[in-house]
Amino acid sequence: MIDAPTPPRFTLSPIGVIESDYPDKFGIPRQPGLATAARASLVLVPPFNDPLAVRGLEDFSHLWLTFVFHLSPDQADAERWTPLVRPPRLGGNAKVGVFASRSTYRPNRLGLSLVELVEIDTRRGVRLVLRGADLVSGTPVLDIKPYLPWAESRPEARAGFAPEAPPQLAVAFSAAASATLAERPDSDSLGELIIQVLAQDPRPAYRQGAETRTYGVRLRDLDVRFRAVAAEGATCMEVMEIVPA
Ligand code: SAM
């Protein structure tokens, strides 16, 4: 066993907090960019909410966000971390090393997401308006870095057990759900968000195919109730009702 010296521990201060369409973890796509209708903002906190800190950032279209999976257990202590995790992409049973995964259960709970920058609002502090983020509201963000495609885009890279985006399922709305949606001022973007989120089949990985069970995913101020049904030989997501959360 290599006897590497134990490096010192570090204390990190969040520079901002996410406000997003996702009040809960359940239902959030497993990577950014899979639900481009998802709205999010990164609101910088004092003393980092200085407009000078984002001068020039408007010239970049995408950002790396480093953040804390604050709703996952803290595993930073040696006796609490687990070297193996069960990626949903492998059906939730097969195990891989935590460092071979993007699991939220990891020693320092650090997440990394590439998100699209839509707008920077510095009228009162600093608010970065984002598109396609995969972060629950309240997520503490530790750092922002501009994305450099010439250095970081590697389409030739091998991606192990996650070689491409997850399969997309068809999504249908019941008459009741369609009627509720039509009454909403945000009906267009909300309808798009519901389709993009449910198309990822947010159910636990071990749940496949049609089943009678009803699920609820929180989006914006709503609870979107859905189930998986069989349609033309495939599994389809049926939105049964949309109710205030
Ligand atoms: N793109 C990031 C990465 O690779 O580090 C996140 C990938 S992780 C698989 C995405 C999942 O993290 C989402 O589906 C959601 O359930 C979960 N998540 C989002 N924000 C979180 C938070 N603040 N705490 C814990 N889990 C969170």
Side-chain angles (χ1 to χ4, degrees), residues 38 57 59 80 116 134 158 206 225 228:
L57 191 62
D59 295 331
R80 277 191 287 168
E116 186 178 349
D134 54 342
R158 288 181 295 116
Y206 55 85
R225 306 250 171 88

Side-chain angles (χ1 to χ4, degrees), residues 8-22:
R9 286 181 167 231
F10 296 90
T11 302
L12 302 175
S13 301
I15 60 159
V17 181
I18 291 287
E19 295 173 359
S20 80
D21 279 340
Y22 302 121

Side-chain angles (χ1 to χ4, degrees), residues 160-196:
F161 60 83
E164 70 268 327
Q168 308 281 305
L169 300 183
V171 180
F173 289 77
S174 70
S178 298
T180 306
L181 195 55
E183 291 164 5
R184 293 273 301 193
D186 60 343
S187 63
D188 289 347
S189 72
L190 177 63
E192 204 182 347
L193 178 61
I194 292 172
I195 290 169
Q196 291 175 353

Side-chain angles (χ1 to χ4, degrees), residues 27-243:
I28 302 179
R30 292 194 171 101
Q31 283 302 328
L34 293 173
T36 51
R39 304 172 312 193
S41 286
L42 169 52
V43 181
L44 299 194
V45 297
F48 309 110
N49 58 344
D50 180 337
L52 294 177
V54 294
R55 179 189 295 178
L57 191 62
E58 67 278 4
D59 295 331
F60 294 87
S61 62
H62 290 75
L63 309 174
W64 288 112
L65 299 183
T66 306
F67 59 91
V68 179
F69 287 116
H70 75 299
L71 298 182
S72 292
D74 180 357
Q75 298 192 1
D77 292 330
E79 63 277 2
R80 277 191 287 168
W81 81 291
T82 51
L84 292 171
V85 293
R86 301 168 190 254
R89 291 295 289 267
L90 294 177
N93 288 315
K95 294 183 178 180
V96 298
V98 61
F99 301 136
S101 81
R102 301 295 279 260
S103 170
T104 67
Y105 296 88
R106 41 191 340 106
N108 290 298
R109 299 192 280 178
L110 289 184
L112 175 69
S113 287
L114 180 61
V115 297
E116 186 178 349
L117 175 61
V118 176
E119 180 194 344
I120 301 178
D121 179 355
T122 56
R123 285 169 299 176
R124 288 192 310 277
V126 179
R127 172 187 289 267
L128 304 185
V129 179
L130 311 172
R131 180 176 290 129
D134 54 342
L135 304 177
V136 72
S137 257
T139 297
V141 174
L142 299 175
D143 201 2
I144 304 165
K145 289 188 176 178
Y147 172 64
L148 304 176
W150 56 270
E152 296 170 302
S153 171
R154 287 283 184 265
E156 76 283 4
R158 288 181 295 116
F161 60 83
E164 70 268 327
Q168 308 281 305
L169 300 183
V171 180
F173 289 77
S174 70
S178 298
T180 306
L181 195 55
E183 291 164 5
R184 293 273 301 193
D186 60 343
S187 63
D188 289 347
S189 72
L190 177 63
E192 204 182 347
L193 178 61
I194 292 172
I195 290 169
Q196 291 175 353
V197 165
L198 295 192
Q200 312 288 325
D201 191 353
R203 296 177 296 162
Y206 55 85
R207 299 270 188 193
Q208 299 298 324
E211 49 176 338
T212 55
R213 179 173 173 169
T214 301
Y215 294 85
V217 59
R218 292 281 313 282
L219 293 173
R220 296 184 185 165
D221 56 338
L222 298 164
D223 188 9
V224 178
R225 306 250 171 88
F226 70 95
R227 67 181 175 186
V229 297
E232 297 167 10
T235 302
C236 163
M237 291 290 156
E238 181 191 30
V239 180
M240 300 160 70
E241 56 176 345
I242 301 171
V243 297

